[in-house]
Each structure stands twice: as structure tokens, then as C-alpha cells.
DNA sequence: CTCCTGATTATTGTCCTACATTATGGAGAC
DNA sequence: GTCTCCATAATGTAGGACAATAATCAGGAG
């Protein structure tokens, strides 16, 4: 059974573990559903509905809800079930502050590994894919492209814990809720990404970290403005 | 039933959610068991054994395992069950690097809130409790005291996401595995903590962050030495 | 009319049993 | 000695049942 094939093709996802389970299917679909608008923050997730919707029994549904709760996507109150988390603005800012640090760290470490050819290729591909979207482009696919960019960046950082934790920050969920207010256009975001990648490829650690932090700083400032005004 | 009593007493834990469930009892006991040596890394966790040990059915046991997997405490392989995670040295270093950044951030934010009286009190109390242990002191209680220190620090940072994520980094699990190699004595750790607290209380953000980062830097260096040697 | 109280209902938390699916280990063939 | 095939063990899921709790609603006291 020693299959010597080099690497299993898994170009899309950040998940390292081969989660075959139904549970993961549900988890993924809920997250994707948030991107696509099928689910929306605040919505209640009743076990009965989910069992019907996915055609599975309550066991896997409950497990999926637990996973989603662990990832802070749903709020789980003991006898009252699950509800898709609603971020108020303060929490969104908190999230961005944490993400700012972690992505900054990722960029710094990635720059340190700037001679990793596979990492460079993946990062460049993710950047190109992100650029391919039209300025008014789609919601869910763009979100996935952004995830892939951050995934490639953290992969190049070669820090397992970082790869594990950063997705759990769920930057994209902020987007789902605050898209109208943030209105960062795709072009400027792409410029930010490009700047990060340039610094990373050149091995300039501090510049890479700074560029990553600067990108988040804008969103933070904008949300802070909304909070006070 | 609108019980107007102000706040339920929960002074010890970082958990904000009132998890009544059996699941959480198991999760907590496994973590504590790791501190106490009842469980050890690499050990397999069979559902049948856990159902017997805790006197519950497979449902809650499986849910607990999922939660533990989400917190990176157990490794869950699709058809082969759960196993308490074994960190090889590289992963331990990765963990400390991430923790270094996050705790540094926490210290900086805490310093920014240095006028928060309640936060100061809690942090001081945690520091005192940590100091109360004898230099050769107990394992599990000391680990809890350390957790409380970081809990108080992040609480004072007043960043919800940080409070949520930092515990999931599970710095303490490194200790469980690498205690013999690390041999940071309690006195020097306490000095580090004291330095952080001093800077925090004085509101010196950069110094607080630097002190926190320096504390982790030692452990990282030590592990790097082990890795190469 | 409002507020409080008690019963009804909906939903979750847990248990139990059963079966499908998949890894693991060993027996036997070559 | 290596390989194939099968028995065993363990997990993944289904489905039904019941207890416990929260939300809801009806009715009565003031």
C-alpha cells in the first residue's frame, strides 16, 4: 500500500487532513453558502433542517456544528442551538487586528523562504488567479481566490501552526458582513497583494511584513471610522 | 425565570460560553490529563475506551474528539480514529513563533489599556498566583496558573478574537512534551512575566511587546539548538 | 390593560442498537 | 520470504427513543 505517488492533487484547499467525512462536506458548504448568500449571518441553524437539507442523520450534523463553532462561524448556546455568528463592528476590528499580525508574520516568513521555488510558483499562480477577476467580479469565487492567496502565502511561510490558525481567523466572514461599508475595490487590493508578493520574492522580510500590515490597516481604519461615526 | 443575579461565578476559566455539555467535560479532562500525565502524546484514544471511562455514549465522545481535533490536541485520521498529537520539534518551534507574535500583540494591546482597573487587578492576581508556586512546583496547577496569566493578559488586551485564538495555540502542550529539554526554571519565567506586567502597567506598549517576545525567544532558541544538535 | 404564572410545544442533549465502511493483522498459497 | 485473501476491530452513519430545557402561549390576578 506504499503508494509512492509524490503529492496528492489538492490545489484548491488549505486542508491538509484528508477529511472524507460528511461532517466536512457540511462545514464546507455552510462556509461556501455564506460566501454565496445562501446562508446569512444571524440565521439559525436547526438540526432538523440541516438533516433534511443534506440528507444525513443528526450525528454528522451535530458534529459539523461543533466544528463550525470551533471555527467561530456559528455561535452555539447550550440548549438553544446554533446560529450563524453576527460580528458587530468591534469584533470585526478585533479580527482584522489579529489577522494583520498573523498575515504580517506569514509575509515575513515567506520572504525568508523566498528561494522556495514551489512556494513562489503557487503564490504567483494565486496572485494571477486573483487578478483575473473583473473589477465587479463574482462573490464566492473571488472569496475563494483570496483564500487561496493567503493560503499560498502561509504555505510559503512554512509554519504549520500558522497554516492551521490563520484560516480559523476567517477574514472572509468579515467581508460577507461588511462588504458594503468596506468598498475596497479589487484593483487596489490587487496592488496591495502585488506589493506583498514583490517584497516576498525579493526576500525583503520587513518590507513584506509592512506591506501586509498596511493592507489590513486600511480596512481597520475604515471600520474604526464607521464605529465612531 | 429572569434571574437578575449579576454574573455567574466563573473566575477560573477563559471560556466565555457556558458549555454545560458532557462534551466539554471530556475535552477539559483530556487536556488536564495531559498536564497531569494521565494521558500522554501519541496515545490512541479509542471511542470504546472513552465511552467506558466517562460513562457516556459514543455521541458525546465523538463530539469531544472533534473539538479536540479542532484545537489541534488530537489528530483525527478518517478511518483510524483519534490519537493525541505528538509534536516534533519543528512544529513546536512553529507553535512558539506564532505564540510569540500573538502574546506580543496581547501585551501591546494590554499596555494600551493600562488604565483598566479590573484588568490590572486580574493580571496582578494571576502574576501573584504564578509566583506562589515553589521552584520545583506541581505540574498541572502550574500549567493552569500559566494559562491564567496569559488569559488575564489577553483579557486586558480586550480583543475578543485574540482571547479566542490564543488558547487554541496551546503553548502548554509544548511544555508537556519538551519540559525536560526546555528547563526554563520558574524563577526566570517569573522574572519575564514580571517585566511584561511592569511595562503593561506603565503603558509602554513597545516595551511590553518586546518583553513578551523576548520571553518566547529563549524557548525558540533552545528548541532550535536541539533541532540542529 | 398589564403583569405574572402555569402549561404546551419545539428543540436540543444523550442514549441505544444496528449496519456499512475501512484499516489491521494473520493464515495460507506460491 | 513475499503476496493474496480473509477475519477481526474500529470507526462512520442511520434511526429511533427519551429526558431536559428554552421559547411560546393562554389564562387569571391585580
Amino acid at each position: 500500500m506504499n503508494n509512492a505517488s509524490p503529492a496528492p492533487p489538492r490545489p484548491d484547499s488549505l486542508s491538509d487532513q484528508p477529511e472524507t467525512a460528511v461532517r466536512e462536506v457540511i462545514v464546507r458548504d455552510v462556509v461556501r453558502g455564506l460566501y454565496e448568500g445562501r446562508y446569512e449571518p444571524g440565521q439559525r441553524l436547526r438540526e432538523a433542517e440541516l438533516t433534511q437539507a443534506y440528507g444525513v442523520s443528526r450525528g454528522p450534523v451535530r458534529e459539523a456544528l461543533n466544528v463550525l463553532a470551533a471555527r467561530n462561524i456559528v455561535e452555539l448556546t447550550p440548549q438553544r442551538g446554533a446560529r450563524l455568528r453576527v460580528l458587530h463592528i468591534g469584533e470585526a476590528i478585533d479580527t482584522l487586528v489579529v489577522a494583520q499580525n498573523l498575515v504580517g508574520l506569514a509575509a515575513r516568513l515567506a520572504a525568508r523562504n523566498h528561494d522556495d521555488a514551489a512556494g513562489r510558483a503557487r503564490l504567483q499562480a494565486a496572485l494571477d488567479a486573483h487578478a483575473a477577476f473583473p473589477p465587479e467580479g463574482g462573490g464566492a469565487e473571488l472569496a475563494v481566490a483570496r483564500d487561496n492567496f493567503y493560503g499560498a502565502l502561509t504555505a510559503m511561510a512554512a509554519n504549520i501552526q500558522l497554516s492551521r490558525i490563520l484560516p480559523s481567523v476567517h477574514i472572509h466572514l468579515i467581508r460577507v458582513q461588511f462588504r458594503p461599508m468596506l468598498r475596497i475595490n479589487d484593483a487596489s487590493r490587487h496592488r496591495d497583494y502585488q506589493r506583498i508578493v514583490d517584497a516576498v520574492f525579493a526576500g525583503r522580510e520587513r518590507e513584506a511584513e509592512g506591506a501586509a500590515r498596511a493592507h489590513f490597516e486600511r480596512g481597520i481604519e475604515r471600520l474604526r471610522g464607521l464605529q465612531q461615526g
Side-chain angles (χ1 to χ4, degrees), chain A:
Chain A
M1 198 71 82
N2 38 17
N3 197 341
S5 66
R10 188 176 288 274
D12 54 335
S13 169
L14 313 177
S15 68
D16 355 1
Q17 299 161 18
E19 305 278 8
T20 314
V22 172
R23 167 192 357 132
E24 276 301 311
V25 174
I26 300 177
V27 168
R28 268 195 261 265
D29 185 77
V30 170
V31 172
R32 187 168 189 90
L34 274 169
Y35 291 158
E36 294 175 354
R38 302 199 318 268
Y39 291 104
E40 61 182 61
Q43 179 178 345
R44 229 183 127 179
L45 294 183
R46 267 174 269 258
E47 294 181 1
E49 295 173 4
L50 295 180
T51 55
Q52 258 202 328
Y54 295 99
V56 296
S57 73
R58 279 180 69 203
V61 166
R62 287 179 58 82
E63 294 189 357
L65 288 176
N66 286 326
V67 172
L68 287 168
R71 297 195 195 166
N72 207 30
I73 294 168
V74 309
E75 196 174 8
L76 217 50
T77 327
Q79 214 76 6
R80 290 192 291 170
R83 174 181 301 273
L84 286 170
R85 203 135 178 32
V86 176
L87 294 180
H88 44 265
I89 259 186
E91 286 177 282
I93 295 175
D94 287 355
T95 302
L96 284 182
V97 167
V98 172
Q100 183 183 42
N101 264 265
L102 290 178
V103 175
L105 173 62
R108 190 170 79 226
L109 296 179
R112 191 172 300 172
N113 296 331
H114 67 279
D115 52 355
D116 166 20
R120 292 175 71 114
R122 179 174 169 191
L123 186 55
Q124 184 68 55
L127 183 67
D128 293 343
H130 179 265
F133 282 92
E136 277 304 315
E141 284 83 7
L142 179 56
V144 171
R146 290 173 6 111
D147 278 359
N148 283 341
F149 176 75
Y150 290 120
L153 190 66
T154 57
M156 193 164 164
N159 183 310
I160 295 183
Q161 294 298 317
L162 196 54
S163 302
R164 189 182 71 81
I165 288 182
L166 194 49
S168 87
V169 178
H170 284 292
I171 318 166
H172 39 277
L173 289 189
I174 294 181
R175 199 153 202 75
V176 171
Q177 271 193 251
F178 296 97
R179 198 181 323 166
M181 297 90 144
L182 277 174
R183 64 174 59 259
I184 296 179
N185 68 31
D186 295 343
S188 93
R189 180 172 54 245
H190 184 70
R191 271 198 304 277
D192 286 356
Y193 286 1
Q194 182 73 58
R195 204 169 308 155
I196 297 172
V197 170
D198 287 344
V200 165
F201 283 178
R204 293 193 289 268
E205 298 185 18
R206 297 188 54 163
E207 185 182 328
E209 177 170 13
R213 295 179 66 96
H215 172 62
F216 282 93
E217 193 64 31
R218 296 191 203 165
I220 294 173
E221 287 305 324
R222 225 163 287 212
L223 284 185
R224 286 228 174 89
L226 287 176
Q227 190 178 33
Q228 291 166 0

